[in-house]
Amino acid sequence: MVDFSYTYLVRHIVPGPQSFSYFVPHILTPLSLLIPRTVLSRWQSIAIFLPVILLSTLHAWVVMDGVDVISVNAVLIALLFLPLKDPHTQFKLIVRNVIERSSLQQSAPGDALQEETALLSPSDEAPPPSSPSKPAAHRTQAYPPTLRERLPWVNMLLISIRFNDWIIAIPSHDRTQPQPPAFQRRRQFFLQALLSSVRGLLTIDLTHAYMTTDAYFTDPNISLYSPLPFAPVSGVAAMGVRSLVLGAQIWAALSQLFYFFATLPVGLNALGLLDDLWSPHTWGAYYGSASAIFTHGLRGFWGKYWHQTMRITTSAPGYALADVLGLKGREWKRYAVISIVAFGCSGVVHMGLVPAEPLWATVSPNRLRLYMGLFFWVQPVGMLGEMLEESLWTRSTGREVWERGWMYRVRLVGMGLSVILWFTACLPLIGEVGRQLGWFKFSILPGLRGEGWITWPILQS
């Protein structure tokens, strides 16, 4: 009989809380925000709350025999709100009125969205735009003086994962606020959700169908370079095919099915049961234009195309370190510090996907955590390599040649191919974790292929 007890799930399937200490940061961080500076100074608040948060989280990790995504993110949030920034004096909530929401939904999200999603922009010291460039029909709310006003303010801060509609004393973020909504109307959102869901479901079904025929994805003892099931292809070429299959499934599961799950709150909003504030169609875009990959390579992928859910929490320690080191403006050293710290933190967060006792793993969970972390830790290497390459090319040919004419078109193709090659080399790190944990033994959408909804006979022959 299969054991579906809570202990079984958090030990073998996905890590989760196994002690009360796990929840301490989720209690103390909001409490530290609710206590005004008239009661505790900033440094008193740090001295009282931060050690307890860190020690309790460490105890929770010891009990879990490892980290998990939520607890690592809770530590990053505590660091952001306590030593790195002071929400009491630096943060302001942008409150929109009905008129502004209506006018924003009638305007297309243009370049402002692209800039907002730029990860770790070297130009983070640039000042915010002048007030005429922003909608006038909104106001900012600083830390409220009364508890009645403070409770919703703090609650809004804690649930604002991307800090949209917040001024948080990070210029590269603040100058893009408030953001225009990703969709002008709900109808556009539902159309996008339909198209994305179809693309996502088809891609997931196709990739899973292939994975069931390629023993590499289900047998940890099969080499990454072993021959493919449908052709006598092995070595680096086989690795490339498997990386592309894995990348396609990750892309479909994360970027395409996001809109599918977001249709529920948008539907409730259409029925008048949910305020516009909570309807995803009024939020800034979660994913940017894929054209950024061709114009900016890896920097465009991570900074403009891919989701920015943990952008602020993972990069804030890097901004602080760069400031301490005296690195300012567009210096590549500042960009390097922020990038390395951000992806370092992101790697630790994603290590939390590995449980303490994986069911099918043939290697230790710590090795799997290392593989997962390495995928993110090597990304700054590729990004800084792109910056070096761009610098060398522009010095030898001039920036105008680099940005216009036939050289520009060659660069677009080269950037796209280089990103594909980069992920072909890096994705096997995630692939090794996935097959060791048994992710590919089951479809992300159970029964999709098994019920014969979509079949791919060519792969079953």
Side-chain angles (χ1 to χ4, degrees):
M1 182 177 179
V2 179
D3 184 1
F4 286 111
S5 67
Y6 176 79
T7 302
Y8 180 88
L9 293 175
V10 297
R11 296 297 296 181
H12 302 292
I13 308 301
V14 60
Q18 299 175 43
S19 64
F20 175 76
S21 57
Y22 182 98
F23 300 98
V24 171
H26 301 281
I27 298 173
L28 295 187
T29 299
L31 183 60
S32 70
L33 294 172
L34 287 171
I35 298 177
R37 288 289 174 254
T38 55
V39 177
L40 289 177
S41 70
R42 182 186 180 190
W43 296 110
Q44 287 174 333
S45 184
I46 293 172
I48 292 173
F49 291 106
L50 190 59
V52 179
I53 289 174
L54 296 179
L55 290 175
S56 62
T57 303
L58 180 61
H59 176 266
W61 290 344
V62 171
V63 175
M64 291 191 296
D65 291 327
V67 301
D68 84 326
V69 172
I70 296 176
S71 62
V72 176
N73 194 54
V75 170
L76 292 174
I77 291 175
L79 291 174
L80 175 64
F81 291 162
L82 287 167
L84 300 181
K85 296 292 180 182
D86 184 9
H88 293 69
T89 60
Q90 295 179 312
F91 286 19
K92 294 181 180 179
L93 173 63
I94 298 175
V95 182
R96 306 173 187 261
N97 61 26
V98 177
I99 296 176
E100 183 190 4
R101 289 182 186 176
S102 176
S103 63
L104 281 177
Q105 290 181 20
Q106 293 174 4
S107 62
D111 293 339
L113 281 179
Q114 297 302 317
E115 183 180 6
E116 187 277 335
T117 52
L119 174 68
L120 314 176
S121 170
S123 59
D124 59 278
E125 293 300 319
S130 58
S131 56
S133 65
K134 286 187 176 182
H138 71 270
R139 62 184 176 87
T140 58
Q141 181 185 17
Y143 188 80
T146 65
L147 180 61
R148 182 177 180 178
E149 295 176 307
R150 201 178 305 140
L151 283 171
W153 192 91
V154 170
N155 178 64
M156 186 64 66
L157 177 60
L158 292 170
I159 64 175
S160 299
I161 301 176
R162 297 190 298 164
F163 298 97
N164 286 342
D165 289 347
W166 280 93
I167 303 298
I168 59 174
I170 297 180
S172 61
H173 168 274
D174 295 348
R175 66 170 175 261
T176 65
Q177 305 301 317
Q179 281 193 14
F183 299 92
Q184 299 177 33
R185 297 176 179 85
R186 280 186 293 264
R187 182 184 304 173
Q188 293 177 328
F189 173 86
F190 285 121
L191 179 60
Q192 176 65 42
L194 176 62
L195 295 176
S196 296
S197 298
V198 170
R199 284 197 303 259
L201 294 174
L202 287 172
T203 304
I204 288 174
D205 189 65
L206 175 58
T207 53
H208 181 68
Y210 173 80
M211 288 176 175
T212 59
T213 66
D214 190 340
Y216 161 77
F217 287 99
T218 55
D219 186 350
N221 296 311
I222 301 296
S223 170
L224 173 66
Y225 305 101
S226 62
L228 298 177
F230 60 86
V233 177
S234 59
V236 175
M239 178 190 75
V241 171
R242 287 163 175 148
S243 292
L244 290 175
V245 170
L246 175 60
Q249 185 166 102
I250 294 174
W251 168 81
L254 296 183
S255 71
Q256 299 303 291
L257 295 189
F258 164 78
Y259 296 100
F260 174 79
F261 295 107
T263 55
L264 176 60
V266 176
L268 293 176
N269 173 258
L271 296 174
L273 302 176
L274 197 65
D275 187 81
D276 285 349
L277 182 65
W278 304 100
S279 183
H281 82 285
T282 66
W283 302 347
Y286 255 78
Y287 291 86
S289 171
S291 63
I293 300 173
F294 297 94
T295 55
H296 298 288
L298 277 178
R299 291 167 294 164
F301 178 88
W302 291 115
K304 294 188 176 183
Y305 172 68
W306 204 240
H307 72 83
Q308 306 293 305
T309 303
M310 296 183 294
R311 175 193 177 196
I312 300 300
T313 53
T314 57
S315 63
Y319 280 107
L321 179 58
D323 291 339
V324 169
L325 296 176
L327 304 175
K328 302 294 183 181
R330 292 178 176 268
E331 290 185 72
W332 72 268
K333 293 180 182 179
R334 178 178 177 85
Y335 184 85
V337 168
I338 297 173
S339 299
I340 291 171
V341 172
F343 280 98
C345 293
S346 184
V348 176
V349 170
H350 288 85
M351 288 167 63
L353 295 172
V354 180
E357 301 171 7
L359 292 177
W360 295 282
T362 59
V363 298
S364 70
N366 286 333
R367 178 176 292 189
L368 298 181
R369 292 176 183 128
L370 178 61
Y371 291 156
M372 181 63 79
L374 277 174
F375 173 81
F376 295 92
W377 298 338
V378 299
Q379 300 308 312
V381 177
M383 296 163 67
L384 294 173
E386 287 179 346
M387 294 181 66
L388 176 61
E389 179 188 11
E390 180 178 340
S391 176
L392 294 176
W393 273 101
T394 53
R395 286 181 183 180
S396 61
T397 64
R399 181 162 291 278
E400 184 174 350
V401 176
W402 181 258
E403 294 179 348
R404 292 183 178 88
W406 69 270
M407 187 65 183
Y408 176 72
R409 292 189 289 271
V410 170
R411 181 168 70 92
L412 294 182
V413 176
M415 279 290 191
L417 290 176
S418 67
V419 170
I420 292 175
L421 292 175
W422 175 263
F423 282 120
T424 296
C426 295
L427 278 173
L429 290 168
I430 294 182
E432 184 63 24
V433 176
R435 69 178 190 152
Q436 291 279 347
L437 297 182
W439 289 350
F440 310 129
K441 293 178 180 292
F442 311 97
S443 173
I444 297 177
L445 301 172
L448 191 61
R449 261 190 85 244
E451 296 295 333
W453 185 67
I454 298 176
T455 59
W456 304 93
I458 189 173
L459 297 176
Q460 298 173 1
S461 58

